[in-house]
């Protein structure tokens, strides 16, 4: 934590000013309600911090007014959407104000002719997906938590997900953003253009900045024509190295899959038990590659299916099946399955070049054994993003469990960075990985980030102690 930072507390007069801005019922200090906001998806109590007040603004103007007040009074603000993050990014480590954006939940415009939409940050990702689909369109952002997460959080963390192989991460869906800066100014960055070389690309910088450079209050996002034909298959292997080699074969063949997801056997068993389903080859050590391919023509789809089937056979698959709803449910429910087994479960999400995935997964079992860690591996293997969901099966106390995870992270991050990777592909750094980020990030890169944060947020009120510390 930035122990050298000194902030002021919420006084009765400040509380009344906040109520004047957002309305009496939308600024609360009720203890039962504050309980909700002590954490995001983090279950280890050593990270819990309570806000002094939670505000629920309904407009960009209200957000800006709150931020200006916080600057004047030197009070930290923690922006929050659905609170589904996994890196303690929405935890108010300096207390102060939590700004909950759930009331700003409107799809303002859906332009089917020109393939864009304008949305507020509190819109659930699944609601935007469904609204687009109803018009024959696709919103391509698709994190596994789509049914609960919100667009604001997706933008703030540059969320990835299942379709990132073909369509990119959330950052690739952005035209423009309306942002309230840390000084309370309202600024629109970006434009509805297909290309632009006009100054700094600020919308791309703000996406992934985890609320440290401003609060996103509106976004103009790209839509695409929904491909009318698709298929999902699961290629089952008895050897993880064979499964992990398949994506490069698929991409090299020019099939252009929408997604390629991997589940090791431990993940398959954990998810199968959770959804109460006997998954194919779960009991005999099978591992999965789940592949989605889309097309605009039936003949094209048939050709790709035949190509893909041949590639799976050549790669050594023991079985190739249509991936029905239970297969996708198992993949998407893996995090919930782990949470049911262990409230203090943890999820890592390092990312490496595609050709280095095998190097990481080959060493993972030994690193996990070294730290007595149990867990399953899932991955967006089409883009090199590996998740290890770790279970506290030994019921270690909070401090000891955090120490175990830090020691594990130190080993795995050393390997990942040696292979040219990074510690996060989509979850972000937040508060939980801040110290590791400082350790593994090159000094010059870190210096630029700190200079930027200090310039944009001179009072350090905007989600302080996330990603980096500033002096």
């Amino acid at each position: 934590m930035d122990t050298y930072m000194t902030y002021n507390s919420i006084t009765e007069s400040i509380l009344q000013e906040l109520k004047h801005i957002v309305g009496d019922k939308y600024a609360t200090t009720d203890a039962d309600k504050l309980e909700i906001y002590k954490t995001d998806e983090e279950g280890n109590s050593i990270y819990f911090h309570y806000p002094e007040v939670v505000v629920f603004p309904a407009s960009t103007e209200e957000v800006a007014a709150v931020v200006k007040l916080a600057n004047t009074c030197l009070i930290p603000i923690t922006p929050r959407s659905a609170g589904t993050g996994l890196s303690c990014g929405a935890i108010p480590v300096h207390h102060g104000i939590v700004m909950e954006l759930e009331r700003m939940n409107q799809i303002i415009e859906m332009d089917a002719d020109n393939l864009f939409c304008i949305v507020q940050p509190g819109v659930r990702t699944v609601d935007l997906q469904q609204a687009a689909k109803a018009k024959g369109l696709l919103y391509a952002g698709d994190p596994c938590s789509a049914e609960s997460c919100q667009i604001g959080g997706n933008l703030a963390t540059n969320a990835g997900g299942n379709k990132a192989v073909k369509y990119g991460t959330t950052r690739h869906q952005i035209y423009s953003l309306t942002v309230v800066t840390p000084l309370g100014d309202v600024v629109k960055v970006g434009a509805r253009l297909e290309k632009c070389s006009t100054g700094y690309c600020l919308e791309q910088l703000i996406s992934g900045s985890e609320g440290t450079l401003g609060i996103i209050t509106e976004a103009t996002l790209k839509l695409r024509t929904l491909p009318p034909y698709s298929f999902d298959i699961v290629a089952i292997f008895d050897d993880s190295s064979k499964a992990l080699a398949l994506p490069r074969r698929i991409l090299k063949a020019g099939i252009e899959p929408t997604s390629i997801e991997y589940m090791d056997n431990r993940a398959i068993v954990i998810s199968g038990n959770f959804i109460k389903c006997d998954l194919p080859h779960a009991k005999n050590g099978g591992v999965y590659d789940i592949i989605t391919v889309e097309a605009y023509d039936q003949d094209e789809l048939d050709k790709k299916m035949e190509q893909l089937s041949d590639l799976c056979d050549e790669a050594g698959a023991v079985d190739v099946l249509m991936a029905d709803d239970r297969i996708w449910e198992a993949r998407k429910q893996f995090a919930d399955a782990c949470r049911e087994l262990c409230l203090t479960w943890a999820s890592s999400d390092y990312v490496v070049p595609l050709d280095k995935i095998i190097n990481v997964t080959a060493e993972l079992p030994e690193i996990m054994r070294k730290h007595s860690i149990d867990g399953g591996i899932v991955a967006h293997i089409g883009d090199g993003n590996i998740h290890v969901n770790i279970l506290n099966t030994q019921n270690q106390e909070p401090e000891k469990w955090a120490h175990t995870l830090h020691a594990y992270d130190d080993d795995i991050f050393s390997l990942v960075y040696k292979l040219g990777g990074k510690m996060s592909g989509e979850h972000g750094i937040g508060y939980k990985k801040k110290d590791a980020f400082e350790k593994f990030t090159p000094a010059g890169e870190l210096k630029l980030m700190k200079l930027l944060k200090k310039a944009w947020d001179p009072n350090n009120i905007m989600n302080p102690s996330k990603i980096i510390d500033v002096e």
Side-chain angles (χ1 to χ4, degrees), residues 244 352-364 386 415 419:
L244 294 165
V352 295
L354 283 181
D355 58 310
K356 302 299 183 183
I357 293 178
I358 291 177
N359 302 67
V360 177
T361 53
E363 294 194 39
L364 259 174
I386 305 167
L415 172 62
L419 295 170

Side-chain angles (χ1 to χ4, degrees), residues 157-373:
T157 59
N158 185 33
N162 302 319
K163 293 184 172 71
V165 180
K166 184 173 183 179
Y167 298 113
T169 60
T170 302
R171 180 175 279 140
H172 299 98
Q173 318 311 323
I174 298 170
Y175 276 128
S176 66
L177 302 173
T178 299
V179 180
V180 174
T181 74
L183 295 176
D185 298 323
V186 178
V187 180
K188 184 173 181 179
V189 294
R192 191 165 58 83
L193 303 170
E194 295 306 317
K195 65 179 182 179
C196 180
S197 295
T198 310
Y200 300 143
C201 196
L202 297 179
E203 72 278 11
Q204 298 295 300
L205 174 62
I206 290 166
S207 176
S209 65
E210 301 183 47
T212 62
L213 299 180
I215 300 173
I216 298 164
T217 60
E218 191 174 285
T220 301
L221 302 174
K222 300 175 184 178
L223 299 174
R224 305 163 197 268
T225 304
L226 185 67
Y229 304 98
S230 67
F231 66 81
D232 298 80
I233 67 166
V234 54
I236 304 171
F237 296 84
D238 57 10
D239 182 334
S240 61
S241 63
K242 294 178 183 177
L244 294 165
L246 180 61
R248 294 197 304 281
R249 291 172 178 255
I250 294 172
L251 295 171
K252 191 174 180 181
I255 293 176
E256 198 179 11
T258 303
S259 65
I260 315 175
E261 297 293 302
Y262 169 81
M263 298 181 74
D264 79 349
N265 188 254
R266 182 74 172 117
I268 293 166
V269 170
I270 289 171
S271 282
N273 290 339
F274 178 70
I275 65 173
K276 297 178 173 55
C277 178
D278 290 329
L279 295 171
H281 296 268
K283 294 178 180 177
N284 57 0
V287 299
Y288 291 174
D289 281 352
I290 312 166
I291 305 151
T292 301
V293 176
E294 298 170 327
Y296 290 93
D297 177 86
Q298 183 66 58
D299 291 339
E300 178 192 0
L301 190 77
D302 293 342
K303 181 180 177 181
K304 288 182 175 180
M305 182 179 287
E306 185 177 343
Q307 272 184 287
L308 187 54
S309 180
D310 290 343
L311 286 172
C312 291
D313 289 341
E314 292 167 11
V318 297
D319 208 349
V320 179
L321 307 169
M322 298 307 294
D324 54 23
D325 289 346
R326 62 192 173 140
I327 301 295
W328 273 116
E329 185 181 8
R331 171 62 186 94
K332 292 187 175 184
Q333 295 288 337
F334 181 48
D336 288 334
C338 292
R339 187 178 296 107
E340 183 181 67
L341 289 174
C342 170
L343 284 175
T344 55
W345 71 288
S347 180
S348 53
D349 82 310
Y350 26 85
V351 59
V352 295
L354 283 181
D355 58 310
K356 302 299 183 183
I357 293 178
I358 291 177
N359 302 67
V360 177
T361 53
E363 294 194 39
L364 259 174
E366 182 54 40
I367 295 174
M368 293 172 75
R369 278 193 294 271
K370 173 183 174 182
H371 298 284
S372 300
I373 278 176

